[in-house]
Amino acid sequence: MSSSFLKQGNLCSRFSLSSALQIPRLRHLLHFFFSHVAEGEQVDTSTPAKSGFVHPTAVVHPDALIGQGVSIGPFCSVSSSAKLGNGCQLYPGSHVSGSTELGDNCTLMTGAVVGDDYPGCTVIGSNNTIGYHAVIGVKCQDMKYKPEDECFLEVGDNNDIREHTSIHRSSKSTDRTVIGNDNFIMGSCHIAHDCKIGSNNIFANSTLLAGHVEVEDYVHTAGATVVHQFCRIGSFSFLGGGSVVTQDVPKYMMVAGERAELRGLNLVGLTRCGFSNAEIRNLRTAYRKIFMSVDANVGSLEERMAEVELHGELVHVPAVRAMLQSIRNSFAENRRGICKFRHWNVSKLAEVA
């Protein structure tokens, strides 16, 4: 155990002693622990919390690297190859396994599991919260995976990963699963092997991302959203609740439906993220020209996009250019194309958000 630790008599501050006493085995262990204190073993309670604390029932391998001010609660385990940064907190029954690194000030709630003993590693940045019974950085669910291959997960900083979420390592040594910064991943979400997640995303409960999905930044999913393998979700887009997304979602767009269709721009999200009225107005104009033309002889999607690119005003708007490039990228080789869009007529134009 790291020399930075001092044993203290107080239990982990987040652990309820009254609830613990309801568990027979834990009640016995606590009686054993406190009886030894009563018999004369001196326990220093004057040391500040930053000195760290390991509960006597925790199993911490002596080769583990433990930072300053780390708190490890009852029945936790820390593997020999683990590295815990300063100020980390492991709540009762949480586990750090295999070659796993936690940055500073990470919190593992009760029952959380981070890492496993398979080849490769899990690297978690700073200020992350891993929710109750979440499973992060374990072996992927891919039949092609070979147990002897190294596999990797990298998570950035300031992510809130809630209860029962699962995030898997990559399926091969040449790839890795990546999570960016400042993401809010709600309960029971699943992020499969080799996914690439950007920053500032919000995934509502039970969002399921299959293998190799790429999500850019500021994406918001509603509950029970499912995304097919190899799809890409563009920045500032919104996925409606219960949607099954089987093709790419371009930047700034909103999709919904059992087989998700484009339903317009994510106007609420764009406004909340600080897009100006002029930017949103130009994006709406471009979207209508591409997806909602009232001309029966308008031509193909490519021709409509070319018309926007030749438009005197729209072509000079960076957001419009980004949207066009996002659409074009979705039709590149080995990409899945974009979600289907409705064929509008003049009478429906007034209904567009």
Side-chain angles (χ1 to χ4, degrees), residues 155-292:
V155 178
D157 302 329
N158 306 309
N159 295 288
D160 188 359
I161 301 171
R162 298 300 295 271
E163 55 275 8
H164 299 285
T165 288
S166 59
I167 302 176
H168 291 165
R169 291 193 200 175
S170 61
S171 61
K172 52 188 177 181
S173 59
T174 56
D175 207 340
R176 60 199 59 228
T177 305
V178 178
I179 313 290
N181 305 317
D182 300 289
N183 295 292
F184 183 20
I185 303 173
M186 299 185 195
S188 301
C189 288
H190 173 64
I191 299 176
H193 58 88
D194 308 294
C195 285
K196 304 293 185 294
I197 310 300
S199 299
N200 298 289
N201 298 298
I202 300 174
F203 297 159
N205 298 282
S206 300
T207 292
L208 309 178
L209 307 183
H212 304 277
V213 167
E214 295 189 21
V215 180
E216 295 180 357
D217 303 325
Y218 294 97
V219 172
H220 189 172
T221 73
T225 299
V226 179
V227 182
H228 191 280
Q229 298 96 315
F230 294 98
C231 286
R232 300 194 186 186
I233 312 300
S235 297
F236 303 99
S237 57
F238 178 83
L239 282 57
S243 298
V244 178
V245 180
T246 59
Q247 294 178 285
D248 292 1
V249 179
K251 290 179 184 289
Y252 315 127
M253 297 188 189
M254 178 172 59
V255 300
E258 189 276 329
R259 281 294 183 268
E261 297 179 342
L262 298 183
R263 299 294 177 91
L265 294 174
N266 180 20
L267 298 178
V268 173
L270 294 173
T271 301
R272 288 176 176 173
C273 289
F275 281 71
S276 68
N277 291 335
E279 288 177 305
I280 294 174
R281 183 172 59 253
N282 286 315
L283 283 169
R284 293 182 72 175
T285 300
Y287 183 92
R288 287 175 173 175
K289 287 181 176 293
I290 296 170
F291 298 110
M292 300 172 57

Side-chain angles (χ1 to χ4, degrees), residues 1-2 5 60-67 78-84:
M1 189 181 303
S2 170
F5 279 103
V60 180
H61 196 281
D63 292 337
L65 299 179
I66 310 297
V78 180
S79 70
S80 61
S81 302
K83 298 179 182 179
L84 274 58

